[in-house]
């Protein structure tokens, strides 16, 4: 998605060779106009796919998910990061290790929001090692629902998550795929000519 790639070049900062900061438009301040375009792009990318619901993870997945939900006219559910691990009644839970924060979060979705047989599109802001996406997939499977696809705003394709999900057979659509990050330099996958 050219608009997104241009914005990453303009406002993104490579904090290291592995971490990209995009707090100007996605992770802290949010650009609603860009989010609307992201919603339209996900709609196009998943054209013809049956989607009953969108599942994301708080907090940065919510903005792109809501705009996609608006385009598709389907509800959006966000998994919550849990503070108390004691009460699990009526909850679908999974663990997510975040290497950017170096901590494990337990995430949960109320069972009532994902029903058996639902076709669920998973959306997240970033895809790196696939921890967050796999935890959301785990929750969908626990609910006896179906993963309709995985929509990612920014995939860091030099990390293993994207390839593993595609090899596992999931329909993954990433709006920007980053090949490498370096000091002052962000390279995208489709810039590479073989
Ligand atoms: P994964 O679970 O695939 O390893 O990493 C994806 C999750 O970690 C996303 O939900 C995102 O919040 C966070 N994340 C991973 N890499 C980055 C990054 O380079 N920049 C930012 N801002 N978040 C990241």
């Amino acid at each position: 998605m050219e608009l997104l790639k241009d914005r990453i070049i303009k406002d993104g900062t490579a904090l290291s060779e592995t971490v990209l900061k995009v707090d100007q438009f996605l992770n802290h301040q949010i650009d609603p106009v860009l989010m609307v375009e992201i919603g339209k792009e996900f709609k196009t990318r998943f054209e013809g796919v049956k989607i009953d619901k969108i599942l994301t993870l708080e907090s940065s997945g919510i903005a792109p998910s809501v705009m996609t939900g608006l385009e598709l006219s389907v509800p959006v559910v966000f998994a919550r990061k849990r503070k108390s691990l004691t009460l699990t009644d009526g909850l679908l839970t999974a663990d997510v290790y975040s290497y950017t924060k170096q901590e494990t979060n337990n995430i949960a979705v109320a069972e009532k929001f994902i029903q058996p047989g639902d076709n669920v599109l998973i959306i997240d802001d970033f895809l790196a090692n696939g921890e967050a996406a796999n935890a959301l997939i785990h929750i969908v499977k626990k609910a006896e629902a179906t993963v309709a696809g995985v929509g990612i705003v920014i995939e860091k394709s030099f990390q293993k998550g994207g390839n593993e999900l595609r090899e596992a057979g999931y329909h993954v659509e990433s709006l920007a795929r980053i090949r490498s990050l370096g000091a002052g330099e962000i390279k995208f996958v489709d810039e590479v000519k073989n």
Side-chain angles (χ1 to χ4, degrees), residues 18-20 27 99-100 124-132 156:
T18 53
V19 179
L20 177 67
N27 288 149
Y99 81 91
T100 46
D124 203 8
D125 60 339
F126 272 88
L127 176 60
N129 290 319
E131 286 272 336
K156 293 181 295 178

Side-chain angles (χ1 to χ4, degrees), residues 13 15-16 18-23 26-27 57-61 81 96-101 124-134 152 154 156 158-159 161-162 165 178 181:
T13 314
L15 291 184
S16 66
T18 53
V19 179
L20 177 67
K21 191 173 180 181
V22 286
D23 64 354
L26 181 60
N27 288 149
L57 182 56
E58 69 173 348
S59 53
S60 294
K81 291 172 186 161
V96 188
Y97 176 73
S98 161
Y99 81 91
T100 46
K101 296 196 176 126
D124 203 8
D125 60 339
F126 272 88
L127 176 60
N129 290 319
E131 286 272 336
N134 277 309
I152 299 294
I154 304 173
K156 293 181 295 178
F158 54 87
Q159 291 175 292
L165 290 174
I178 292 175
L181 293 172

